[in-house]
């Protein structure tokens, strides 16, 4: 499969659960991103990885823990979340972190509901 | 910090009518501006970027540094243009892409 793939597409979890979101890109890109899309709010950048190294942690609570084992895979580990964390979590990739066209390629998102 | 404002949450036009989506930004340097679009049941994707000065699907956008605006225009809207549109900004050679809140466009027959 080409492009950016996210799993699961939908996730419902309790506040004490531990779950993970997975993102995989087949574009040969060097940079990967996690964005949060909440209702009525702009997309919020959460984390940025360049060649498996984290270059941005945008004041995200520690209950969100990213992992980038290689340049094709990105995870978002979730634990002890709050109901206000319910949102659509978008993964994206780009050729490089800086320069280039600036185009981001997005996955379809993982819809998270925290009960 | 840079900020992107899309004042219209919803925009409804008739097929064949012109459509203009407003985008204003606050940043004093030289930003790069983009328009992203999300059609129903599809992923968010790039529509056009100001550097390319291109017309995509009949849409154009001109960067007006004096008014700090990057409005998206199409002279004759089509039903397939119905979608969510996001204006985005990044600083030159930076990786942070800041998005506006988005405008939902509905084109009626």
């Amino acid at each position: 499969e080409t492009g950016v793939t996210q799993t699961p597409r939908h996730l419902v979890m309790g506040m004490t659960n531990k779950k993970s979101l997975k993102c995989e890109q087949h574009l040969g890109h060097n940079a990967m991103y996690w964005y949060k899309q909440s209702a009525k709010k702009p997309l919020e950048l959460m984390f940025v990885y360049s060649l498996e190294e984290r270059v941005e942690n945008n004041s995200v609570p520690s209950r969100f823990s990213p992992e980038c084992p290689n340049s094709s895979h990105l995870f978002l580990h979730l634990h002890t979340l709050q109901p206000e964390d319910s949102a659509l979590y978008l993964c994206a990739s780009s050729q490089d972190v800086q320069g280039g066209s600036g185009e981001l390629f997005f996955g379809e998102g993982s819809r998270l509901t925290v009960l | 910090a840079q900020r992107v404002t899309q004042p219209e949450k919803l925009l409804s036009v008739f097929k064949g009518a012109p459509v203009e989506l407003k985008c204003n930004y606050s940043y004093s340097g030289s930003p790069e501006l983009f328009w992203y679009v999300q059609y129903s049941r599809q992923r968010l994707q790039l529509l056009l970027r100001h550097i390319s000065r291109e017309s995509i699907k009949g849409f154009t956008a001109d960067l007006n540094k004096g008014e700090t605006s990057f409005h998206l225009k199409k002279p004759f809207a089509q039903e397939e243009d119905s979608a969510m549109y996001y204006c985005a900004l990044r600083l030159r050679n930076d990786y942070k892409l800041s998005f506006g809140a988005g405008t939902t466009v509905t084109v009626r027959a």
Side-chain angles (χ1 to χ4, degrees):
Chain A
E1 184 173 347
T2 59
V4 180
T5 305
Q6 290 186 243
T7 55
R9 294 293 309 282
H10 299 273
L11 178 62
V12 179
M13 60 186 289
M15 294 198 299
T16 58
N17 291 158
K18 287 186 180 181
K19 297 286 185 183
S20 297
L21 305 181
K22 178 183 175 182
C23 177
E24 186 173 359
Q25 58 98 358
H26 306 269
L27 300 168
H29 288 168
N30 296 320
M32 296 188 76
Y33 310 75
W34 279 117
Y35 277 86
K36 177 182 178 182
Q37 187 175 33
S38 306
K40 302 177 183 178
K41 290 177 70 175
L43 273 74
E44 300 171 71
L45 178 63
M46 299 176 72
F47 300 104
V48 181
Y49 277 83
S50 174
L51 295 171
E52 304 125 58
E53 182 178 338
R54 192 189 308 180
V55 296
E56 176 74 23
N57 177 357
N58 206 21
S59 302
V60 179
S62 59
R63 57 185 183 270
F64 295 91
S65 175
E67 179 190 0
C68 188
N70 55 63
S71 58
S72 299
H73 293 85
L74 185 64
F75 294 89
L76 188 62
H77 303 301
L78 317 168
H79 62 97
T80 59
L81 294 192
Q82 305 298 311
E84 58 264 31
D85 296 323
S86 298
L88 182 68
Y89 289 85
L90 292 173
C91 175
S93 70
S94 65
Q95 184 61 59
D96 294 293
V97 169
Q98 292 181 314
S101 69
E103 180 174 4
L104 294 183
F105 292 80
F106 285 89
E108 293 179 290
S110 293
R111 173 73 61 188
L112 173 66
T113 303
V114 182
L115 301 177
Chain B
Q2 62 269 27
R3 184 183 173 117
V4 180
T5 303
Q6 293 180 249
E8 304 137 328
K9 289 193 186 320
L10 301 170
L11 197 57
S12 181
V13 298
F14 284 103
K15 178 181 173 182
V19 60
E20 180 179 36
L21 289 77
K22 291 184 168 47
C23 172
N24 290 92
Y25 64 91
S26 60
Y27 177 65
S28 57
S30 295
E32 294 180 5
L33 276 297
F34 306 82
W35 277 99
Y36 278 77
V37 61
Q38 187 167 25
Y39 301 104
S40 178
R41 301 191 190 89
Q42 294 188 30
R43 63 191 67 199
L44 191 59
Q45 58 188 289
L46 178 68
L47 178 62
L48 56 78
R49 57 178 76 92
H50 91 270
I51 282 181
S52 303
R53 297 178 182 272
E54 57 202 344
S55 173
I56 302 293
K57 299 184 179 182
F59 284 98
T60 58
D62 292 319
L63 178 60
N64 186 324
K65 291 187 178 180
E67 296 182 357
T68 59
S69 68
F70 188 56
H71 304 327
L72 183 68
K73 302 175 186 179
K74 184 169 182 176
F76 308 103
Q78 303 299 313
E79 289 180 76
E80 56 265 30
D81 296 327
S82 295
M84 184 80 160
Y85 292 80
Y86 294 92
C87 184
L89 171 156
R90 76 166 185 174
L91 307 181
R92 206 171 292 278
N93 291 324
D94 194 1
Y95 53 80
K96 293 184 185 180
L97 196 60
S98 298
F99 286 85
T103 298
T104 301
V105 172
T106 302
V107 181
R108 302 180 189 279

